[in-house]
Amino acid sequence: MDFSKGSFTVFDYVIFMSMLVLSTSIGVYYHFTDRKKSHKEYFLTNRNMPVATVSFSLMASFMSATSFLGVPAENYLYGTQYVMLNLGYALGTPVAAFIFLPVFYKMQGASAFEMLYMAIILYAPALALNVVTGLSKWSSVYLIGFVCTFYSTLGGMRAVLWTDLFQALIMLSAACVVCVKGTLDVGGLSEVWRIAEKGQRIQFLDFDPDPTVRHTFWTLVVGGFFTYFAVHVNQVQIQRLLTVKSLKESQIATFSCFFLQTILSILLCFSGIVIYANLSACDPILRSDETNIHKADQILPYFVMTSLTMFPGLPGLFVAGVFSASLSSVSSAINSLTAVTVEDFLHPLYFHKFSEKWITIFTKITALSYGIICIFLTFIVDQGGGILTFVLMLFNVTGGPTLGLFAWVCCSEGPRPKE
């Protein structure tokens, strides 16, 4: 069967399009209800957002479409060792909440790698929709790029946060459906475990000190510990954490985010093992000429179309989940890049001469421009390898220097007076 042609039903399209329409509607709603807001409210929502909403939003932006597709593929190919990354995140959460966050409550940081990262997470759902429906990758890129640019430009951070909440729930639902259905198909949890163990996919505590080994306890836990900091000193996360009333609420949101993202991460890791248990006897990656699966990142969409099509609407829920993950991350990055551009560069130099009305208008034009640039950058991403590997490489290259810079700021005593 050629899965590039897909077999979406009317119910699937209804569910998928409903997600896009609702996401867009939220942006339109806040555009008209908050028309008098200043450009600072556009970025920080007047700092009155509920902690729960911010927590789900943090999770949705952290677990992007690259994770939604890449983590199952990673576990399918290399086993469960990857789940140990969450232990590194667990160790890093208190440090991020109690050391870095108080500093950011007094200052705002920027991130140098947002543009290319946006392109990667915009590209990821195109892989899913291409396999599931036959829609070309670039049609998918244009669709999701338009939707997230539209609602984030119109509604600002408030629209982004509320849309994230809705999209996070879809992501969790889609991951649960894949895990439950796949487990039932293979005969239960014990059978999933048996097949995965037989295929040497069950491994957690590999203490090999060799840094060239793909995944070990040290690279995942220690690396995850520092990666978590790198993620939490970028504008996307910090800007969300500044939309609540107090530092205490911001810290609560940080811990809540860790709890939510760990649940989703474990579900995605387990889904990779479930898919392996179902497909290992006839690996679709090795039969790419028949299955049209040319990248490991397409294994989850492939499984959805071989396992869930008997239940109309479930493939649509899955695609909605992947697109939700991407919409959340891209819209957040658009808003954050706009905040950095306007607040740190344009406002101090030029905008102090203009009225608030014109500053807000130009802010929205800037957001629109970043969305368009992001779409064009996906052509670069298309030349790369696996999306999860690409993202981790990007975090490692840029996250280390960024973390070092902010760690130095946090630990410095400030400027000394001249003698």
Side-chain angles (χ1 to χ4, degrees):
M1 179 178 181
D2 183 2
F3 286 90
S4 66
K5 296 180 180 178
S7 55
F8 246 32
T9 66
V10 173
F11 294 104
D12 297 316
Y13 279 110
V14 168
I15 291 175
F16 172 58
M17 293 305 298
S18 296
M19 182 275 295
L20 294 179
V21 170
L22 184 55
S23 297
T24 303
S25 300
I26 292 174
V28 174
Y29 172 78
Y30 281 111
H31 171 70
F32 287 104
T33 56
D34 293 345
R35 297 194 70 171
K36 295 183 179 180
K37 64 186 174 188
S38 67
H39 74 283
K40 290 188 179 296
E41 290 178 276
Y42 182 87
F43 296 134
L44 295 176
T45 73
N46 210 22
R47 298 192 176 184
N48 59 1
M49 291 299 296
V51 173
T53 302
V54 174
S55 301
F56 274 98
S57 178
L58 287 166
M59 183 273 283
S61 64
F62 188 89
M63 302 295 290
S64 65
T66 57
S67 299
F68 210 91
L69 296 178
V71 171
E74 192 73 16
N75 283 262
Y76 177 89
L77 292 175
Y78 304 106
T80 57
Q81 184 74 34
Y82 186 83
V83 77
M84 297 303 294
L85 189 67
N86 292 289
L87 179 56
Y89 292 166
L91 297 174
T93 299
V95 182
F98 296 116
I99 295 180
F100 284 98
L101 193 53
V103 176
F104 281 115
Y105 231 76
K106 300 177 182 178
M107 56 172 280
Q108 290 200 29
S111 175
F113 62 88
E114 296 293 353
M115 287 301 298
L116 188 53
Y117 179 62
M118 284 168 59
I120 296 172
I121 54 184
L122 181 59
Y123 176 79
L127 296 175
L129 204 60
N130 175 246
V131 173
V132 174
T133 68
L135 187 66
S136 72
K137 287 187 296 185
W138 301 115
S139 297
S140 302
V141 166
Y142 299 144
L143 175 62
I144 193 171
F146 169 77
V147 171
C148 67
T149 300
F150 182 79
Y151 75 74
S152 57
T153 298
L154 286 182
M157 181 54 81
R158 193 181 299 277
V160 169
L161 290 171
W162 283 111
T163 307
D164 282 353
L165 172 61
F166 160 65
Q167 292 164 352
L169 295 175
I170 294 179
M171 291 162 61
L172 287 166
S173 300
C176 285
V177 166
V178 171
C179 289
V180 172
K181 180 61 169 61
T183 300
L184 293 175
D185 284 349
V186 85
L189 285 172
S190 59
E191 188 64 11
V192 169
W193 193 270
R194 185 192 67 79
I195 296 174
E197 196 168 36
K198 182 180 178 181
Q200 298 182 327
R201 293 302 192 274
I202 304 299
Q203 45 186 297
F204 295 104
L205 300 176
D206 183 354
F207 293 100
D208 190 339
D210 185 356
T212 63
V213 176
R214 186 178 184 87
H215 293 314
T216 67
F217 177 88
W218 309 111
T219 57
L220 290 169
V221 176
V222 178
F225 178 77
F226 288 103
T227 298
Y228 195 79
F229 294 153
V231 171
H232 278 76
V233 296
N234 76 57
Q235 181 72 17
V236 170
Q237 299 294 89
I238 294 301
Q239 191 173 338
R240 280 170 161 75
L241 290 168
L242 294 177
T243 61
V244 294
K245 295 178 181 178
S246 65
L247 173 60
K248 182 178 179 180
E249 288 192 356
S250 185
Q251 290 169 332
I252 293 173
T254 300
F255 281 97
S256 300
C257 167
F258 165 72
F259 175 73
L260 292 169
Q261 74 191 32
T262 300
I263 292 175
L264 182 56
S265 176
I266 291 174
L267 285 172
L268 293 174
C269 288
F270 182 65
S271 69
I273 298 303
V274 167
I275 295 171
Y276 178 82
N278 279 268
L279 302 180
S280 60
C282 195
D283 194 329
I285 298 177
L286 299 178
R287 300 182 295 110
S288 59
D289 291 340
E290 302 174 35
T291 61
N292 201 40
I293 303 300
H294 302 291
K295 293 185 177 182
D297 302 315
Q298 294 175 308
I299 193 67
L300 178 57
Y302 175 87
F303 175 74
V304 168
M305 294 312 297
T306 58
S307 179
L308 301 184
T309 50
M310 64 184 69
F311 300 101
L314 290 187
L317 177 64
F318 162 75
V319 173
V322 177
F323 266 70
S324 293
S326 187
L327 283 169
S328 169
S329 300
V330 174
S331 62
S332 304
I334 289 174
N335 191 277
S336 298
L337 281 166
T338 304
V340 172
T341 303
V342 172
E343 291 294 300
D344 294 348
F345 294 99
L346 298 179
H347 193 272
L349 295 175
Y350 307 107
F351 283 0
H352 60 278
K353 303 176 183 178
F354 296 96
S355 66
E356 185 61 43
K357 176 183 177 181
W358 282 106
I359 295 175
T360 303
I361 291 174
F362 191 84
T363 295
K364 294 184 177 182
I365 294 174
T366 304
L368 177 63
S369 301
Y370 275 126
I372 295 172
I373 293 172
C374 173
I375 293 173
F376 283 106
L377 283 177
T378 55
F379 289 94
I380 297 176
V381 176
D382 188 48
Q383 306 304 313
I387 53 176
L388 185 63
T389 303
F390 205 158
V391 167
L392 291 176
M393 178 187 69
L394 195 60
F395 272 126
N396 290 335
V397 170
T398 61
T402 306
L403 174 60
L405 175 63
F406 285 113
W408 175 77
V409 171
C410 291
C411 297
S412 66
E413 298 179 1
R416 298 176 181 272
K418 293 183 179 180
E419 296 181 358

